[in-house]
Amino acid sequence: MSKIELNGTLFSKRLRIVYDAWNNAQKDDDYSSIADVDALLLIAGDPAGEDEPIRKGTAFQTWLLGFEFPSTFLMFQKNQLSILCSASKAKILSQLKNANSPVPIEFFVQAKAKEPPTDALPRFLDTYTSFDRVATLTKEQHSGKLIDEWNKAVNDAAKKPTLADMAPAIASFLAAKDEEELKSIRTAANLTSTLLAHYIAPKLETILDREAKISHEAFANQIEARIGYGEGDKAKGPDMKVWSKGRGLNEVDWASTEFCYPPIIQSQSTSTGYDLSPVAESTQDDISHKGVLLVSVGMRYRGYCANLGRSFIVDPSKEQEEIYSLLVSLQSELLARMKEGAISKELYQFALSYIREKKPDLESHFVKNIGHGMGMEFRDASYLLSSKNSRRLRTNMVFNLVLGFTGLEEDGKKYALQLVDTVLVAADKATCLTTGIKSIKDTLFFLNQDEGEGQSSKVPTKKVPTAKNGANGNASPVKNKTAGGRSAAQEELIQSMAAKIAEHQRELHAKLHQEGLARFSEGGGGIGGKEGKGWKRFQSYKGEAGLPREVENLRIFVDRKAQTVVLPIHGFAVPFHINTIKNVSKNDEGEFTYLRVNFQTPGQLAGRKEDTPFEDPDATFIRSITYRSPDGHRFDTISKQITDLKKEVNKREQQKKEMADVIEQDTLVEVKGRRPTKLPEVFVRPALDGKRLPGEVEIHQNGLRYQSPMGSQKIDILFSNVKHLFFQPCDHELLVIIHIHLKAPIMIGKKKAHDVQFYREASDVQFDETGNRKRKYRYGDEDELELEQQERKRRQMLNKEFKLFSEKIAEAAAASTGEPLEVDIPFRELSFEGVPFRTNVRLQPTTECLVHLSDPPFLVVTLSDIEIASLERVQFGLKQFDMVLIFKDFTKPPLHINSIPSSQLDDVKNWLDSVDIPLSEGPVNLNWGPIMKTINEDPYEFFQQGGWSFLGVAAAGEESEVSDDSDTESEFEIESDESESSESSEDESDYYDGSDASEDEGSGSDFGSDESEGDDWDELERKAAKADKKRSEAGRGHDSDDSDRPKKSSKPKAKANGKR
């Protein structure tokens, strides 16, 4: 337990929240329950059972300390925090003494089991009884040895304080989440949404389509088995076929992932009827293939919950469609009102009034509350969204928003509908953290209609050709918006530039396609497959002599040193390495406790795919072994020891995997015979441990060394590992920077780093204006001007010093490695804003890269590594667009740079074109996960079928190549047919209106009205044949591009299928 590290900074921050709220409780109704108390007492006894819901006290203790500490008392006093615990826990908790706590911490340490008792409990009791009024969780019941001693001591005490219930205040402490908590909740929501979209919904659709016979309970068990906790022959570890489809789930800590409750599946045949509460159960009745199906699933990640519920309706009536649409629209309205300061009961009253206005007869069927607060506790009743709760919502609160109707009737049969999501409250509105399978087209199944009609509802939105959308032939929304304000000369210049870009892009795309075919023609097969896995051997002991002495009494023994569990089997002590054990489960039946040890068997290896090899898969495997004992406490200890050891080993393997690409650099060869060139007074990022002090960078024979003033701390960077060297001047910036991007990451402290940055602050913070002697004699503008001149001069000197040093680094690197290393300087005039990670930053192109260096996380993208750039959400009326960079290494995930202002669209296109990067434009975001997976399966096949042509080349300047009348006529006929066939899509209907207008203009300006009316059928057929002949003969002309358009538009259908 001594290895446990507590987060002192987080503890200090959260403890300060508690004390600030307590000290100001008179001003805030949320904390009124602790306003007039002298102390807060938090009691913890023995751990609760696994099936029991988490207690508010346990949640508060975990929130404050980072871990659950059983048999530990915390007493918050105005001037100190008193902790009563055992010696081993005190050793761990003593880390908090150095955590800059707002109040001092005093430990009351109890004696160990075989030692004489200390005076810790009596002294703690004296402190407790000295108060008149103490707040505690009065409704929570605890058990255990310490609890019994405490209750006896309190009962025997002459004076007892008055108790107040602090549950409402504790709920308020836990309600608003910080960034660490939100990270866990977002992961839980991502897991839940991924499970719904990529397993539950497709599986349910298959069951309905094939009319498969399966019970609600069996389907729920199959869902639960996706994280490896299922029972029976189909039990397996986390199903990565499902989880790999979710974004960012490859690094999930599966040991910290569990279900909040068993998944709930209900249908028309559920014997107990529909029940919208989370305590409902999936019955053993077979799933009905008609009517309403309800699905509820909640997942917990690192203690934090997320939940969602959906309704699926088979062959719905018109009324059922309307009721479900009402739920979707009500949720949207509520999300807009769930913001900072909103009152719980007013939200519920709004929901009732909304239903009363839209469908008055449904009011009596509406749920009695519309959700509750959620975090570590699945259901926080203090924040119930009901008609009686007056609590206010605050930013970063998380709610389980539950909308539904019960007791509805259709064809004489009762049914219910629900729409449940996990939502995050913000200052202006709430957002759904759980997403997917919500719209009518996703939740309604029409099994009785013909196949063609059923398919038409599933067809994704078709991408409309972007050519001819704007007056200048470019689909740029900015150009179309501002075209009226430009002169004819400006328009002509823009059109000529657009035509040049379009021509250059066609060449780049053709070259890219040829290179792709050549690159993959020899290899043929996919590059996405991983290397074959091998069976790992585990050895616990070299022989019987290595067994520990504890096994002689033939009891279960957990040997942490050997990472082994020794089990007694038929009178023999049999060791099992922890990697052969999947998990342990414990349950009580009567007076006995049963401990079941589940082993790894083929198809069940935790966290891996089913194809994991075994040394001899045909051998006979023991799936599990069960022991029985009347000593439940011992089995509790054994179960915890095995689980902790398993977690420890898994964590170690995860860290090893994470550090796999970190290299061990060669030794730095120091300069001899002279002093190395130095750059003094610079800070480094990532920062070293300890106090933030400036150090110095030295240039040696084969690398750089950053020497910290702390003495022993240093960072060595070899020139052979430097990929890019950047110098960013402090013009318009607060820092002057030398930035090094590495070929392979290195370890700095306990973290791996791809980038190392040396910087100095440009503004002189030590310069004190008020203390300047000149202030005594001079006032006014001349003083300000002099300061500005000094500032400008200081910045110039900094730029000169850092640039000179960066050039010396480049010279030394070239002399050491024999390869030139250029100093790259960002072009600020070409910069644009975007969101590559979480925050909006300024991205600056350089000669070789696209970078953001001002603050971490840094972004360095090598331009030569980019295969193609896809500009998405390029639509008239949108203020922003997104850019996706696909790398030549298709196994790397594409880089998304979101929310780039549309006013910079042309600048971005011009820059991409100038550095010879092929680009494409589209009105919608594509789902790049499935697209890259398809490409990686067979890249050669992908390029054979057209490669990146499905994205569509940026169609700028095509109108300048308009040919004769007959060509234009056939061209417009093709576009018009294509627009009519896709008129069902909302997006496309807008484009269709535009193309219709252009067609009318074309018929008026290009053709004479008499001629067009006078042509008979023979003449029209002759013109069509002539146009077809010209198109077939044209090489790379305008007509050939048009003839390819239907092929281009058909490709995104398949690729965007997974994107909703």
Side-chain angles (χ1 to χ4, degrees), residues 227-239:
I227 62 168
Y229 291 98
E231 296 292 340
D233 293 338
K234 293 186 179 179
K236 56 182 179 180
D239 186 355

Side-chain angles (χ1 to χ4, degrees), residues 214-220 265-267 269-270 282-283 285-287:
I214 182 172
S215 70
H216 303 91
E217 186 182 39
F219 186 28
I265 312 295
Q266 302 175 75
S267 74
S269 58
T270 300
S282 302
T283 64
D285 311 295
D286 288 339
I287 293 176

Side-chain angles (χ1 to χ4, degrees), residues 311-330:
S311 304
F312 297 91
I313 313 175
V314 181
D315 295 329
S317 64
K318 190 174 181 182
E319 183 185 8
Q320 287 175 322
E321 283 192 50
E322 290 173 355
I323 295 173
Y324 184 77
S325 298
L326 178 64
L327 283 178
V328 176
S329 60
L330 174 59

Side-chain angles (χ1 to χ4, degrees), residues 76 290 454 474 744 858 862 864 968:
F76 302 83
K290 55 186 177 180
N474 193 327
F858 307 119
T862 307
S864 59
T968 311

Side-chain angles (χ1 to χ4, degrees), residues 315 446-454:
D315 295 329
F446 299 88
L447 300 184
N448 291 337
Q449 299 186 7
D450 59 68
E451 189 176 318
E453 189 176 336

